[in-house]
Structures are given as C-alpha cells and as structure tokens.
Amino acid sequence: MISQTILIVEDDISVRKLLEITFDQYGYNYISTDNITNAIINFKTHNIGLIILDLGLPDGDGKELIPIIREVSKVPIIIVSARYDENNIITALDSGADDYIKKPFSISELLARIRAVFRRKNTQENILDNIICSDLELDNENHVIYFKKEYLKLTPIEYELLKYFIINANKTLTHRQILKEVWGIGYQNEMQYLRSYVNILRKKIEENRTKPSYIKTESGIGYRFCCGNKEL
Ligand code: CA
C-alpha cells in the first residue's frame, strides 16, 4: 500500500507543506495540487492509493471531485477541511468520502486516519476471513459474531448492523449511509430505527452505555465504530 501514491489536493500552502514534509518523513509517495482540474488529471495519470482532499479550492468545492472519482474508483478519500460545517461533512461522506479530519489537525491524528483507511481497505478485500475488533469477532462465513469469545445472540438486523460497523471500523458513518446499507434504499430517513438498534447493541456490548467504547456518537453526523484502537 505504501508504494502507492497519495494525492494531496490542498490550496493552503502551509497545510500542503506540512502534509508533504510528513509524507516524506514517513515514506509515503505523494503528488500535490491546489485545484480540482489538476487533481483529476493527476488521478488519471498515476496509481493513486489515497486522496487527501480540501473542500475550499480555487476552482470549486472539493466535494465536486468525489462523485467524479467514485464513478471509476473506490480509492479512499479523506476530507481535510477547516469548515466545521456538519452539512458539508455529511454531504462529502454521503457522496463517498471515507473520512474527514478537521483543520487544524495533529500529524499523529492524520497518520492514524490514514492507517485506518488502509487497514479497512485490506479488511474489505479479505472479507472471507474472520475480522477481530477488540473483544468482538465477526465470523462472516457462518453469520455469527462472538463477544469475549462467546456467541453473541443477535436478531438478523442487529447482526447486519454490527457486521456493518465492524467492517467499517474507525470510519465516520452518516445516519443515512448506515440506514441505506443495513435497512435498504427507502429507509434513509428512519433515524429512529437506527437509534433504537444502536441502543440495543450498546446494551449487548458496551460496559458503560453512557461512555461507549465501541459505538461512538459523532454528534449531528452519525456514528463511528471503534476497535479499541487507542490512537483513534
Ligand atoms: Ca482551501
């Protein structure tokens, strides 16, 4: 993975430099650009393994790039944005971005997000293997989940929801995304379904439901399922 190139799309020179210096230091290949037009050209002409995308760019909104990329590729996209505007983030995630990080960000946080994106990519490519996430183990082939090595009793929807969370661990998921993927098209606005099932799952796997360590609420956006990974 590390041999693939990271495409940096960022017009703020200081942020771009910081990213470049960091990637140099950690041995990631990269190319950078400050606009959408060149980002598309670079994407088509290089083997890009990850895109770091700013939203406010001189020739448009970075969000416009996401559907263009998604038509042809599942390459991970991490939004880097100063605009802590929930609607922008939700739109970006719903149109296919994998994660977001707010400016100003710490380098260790950025690197952790990048590693998480790459790990997920591997997990999704090896979905037939059991996935271990802290005390949870998804046995995808047999449609069961173990918690602390014991069979976890789940209804079909609970199983599908927990499986979706485990497969997408450490990723911010919007309410609409989860509803669409787990319940199906047409359920995107059934927020109450999701809330109830999250409550049920929390009862089954969280030690302290008021301070969940697995199913974290991303206020106003959705949920992030954490695998006991301390850096995230
Ligand atoms: Ca910008």
Side-chain angles (χ1 to χ4, degrees), residues 10-12 54-57 103:
E10 170 64 83
D11 66 328
D12 180 328
D54 180 27
L55 291 183
L57 294 163
K103 288 180 198 167

